[in-house]
Amino acid sequence: MKKERKLIIAGNWKMNKTVAEALGLVRGLKIELANVKEVDIVVCPPFTALSEVSKAILDSVIRLGAQNMSPNPVGAFTGEIAAVMLKEFSVRYVILGHSERRQYQKESDALIAQKALAAHAASLKPIVCVGETLAEREAGQTEKVLQTQVPGSLAGLTREQVAETIIAYEPVWAIGTGKTATTAQAQQAHAFIRGLLAQLFDESTARRVRIQYGGSVKPANTRELMAQPDVDGALVGGASLEVRSFADIVKNSI
Ligand code: PGA
């Protein structure tokens, strides 16, 4: 599949996998995906498995991501993890503002933007998550939500930083529910986000940004979703926890 931007498929393991389980998964992926060069492949284990997974993927095409990060560089922030600590394990990507963190940790767009700035300052690529709830979609407010979340979560970033940011469009009603957005719904939201980026920054920046779709991505719906012109990859939760399904998602995206 020829795409304008290189696809990026990331597995968000959430609060799953002990170190031993993480190693089992990533070793299987290494074998399955050994020769894949066409798409960027990222796994995002919990913090506690980063060190071991980092060593296990050294000689592979798989890159490492974290699931969250502090906006602060160092200091008295109990329980937090700084960018420089992630860099020790060759982490290249960091998921920011996932809807679960927006919901349970009450993360705001402003906080997410601070984290995105801190990530770029450390040369980590943020994967910034946006997306509407079911109530918002049913009330016809999807675009309004994106009009707030996209500029709010990228506030203060330069054009160059935005171009190096990945946006994950994840309709909250599709996460872990088995309900996927239709390809038309996904393409429409992605095109809308790209249009917003063009307004906020400029056309050429908007064309460089990779926008992932997330929400019940499975091997069976990958091909159709990735065929949409503004869909540049996937952020995968549940289906990233097994070698077979994540490897098939990557292969079906090619
Ligand atoms: P899901 O999760 O694939 O299990 O729906 C996606 C996500 O939360 O990133």
Side-chain angles (χ1 to χ4, degrees), residues 12 14 98-100 170 174-178 214-217 235-239:
N12 173 11
K14 307 190 181 183
H98 189 277
S99 65
E100 286 148 17
E170 300 203 302
I175 296 178
T177 57
S216 299
V217 174
L235 183 56
V236 186

Side-chain angles (χ1 to χ4, degrees), residues 48-125:
T48 46
L50 286 176
S51 169
E52 290 300 318
V53 171
S54 161
K55 287 182 235 163
I57 59 175
L58 264 183
D59 52 347
S60 83
V61 294
I62 301 169
R63 298 287 173 263
L64 197 55
Q67 298 176 20
N68 179 39
M69 197 193 85
S70 171
N72 299 107
V74 67
F77 301 100
T78 302
E80 294 290 292
I81 304 279
V84 53
M85 299 169 180
L86 299 177
K87 299 277 290 184
E88 284 191 294
F89 303 120
S90 306
V91 169
R92 314 250 182 127
Y93 298 88
V94 58
I95 300 171
L96 298 178
H98 189 277
S99 65
E100 286 148 17
R101 297 197 62 85
R102 288 179 183 265
Q103 186 183 351
Y104 306 134
Q105 274 75 35
K106 304 280 176 275
E107 290 199 359
S108 66
D109 291 329
L111 176 67
I112 295 158
Q114 282 175 33
K115 292 184 180 193
L117 276 168
H120 281 296
S123 300
L124 289 171
K125 286 192 204 313

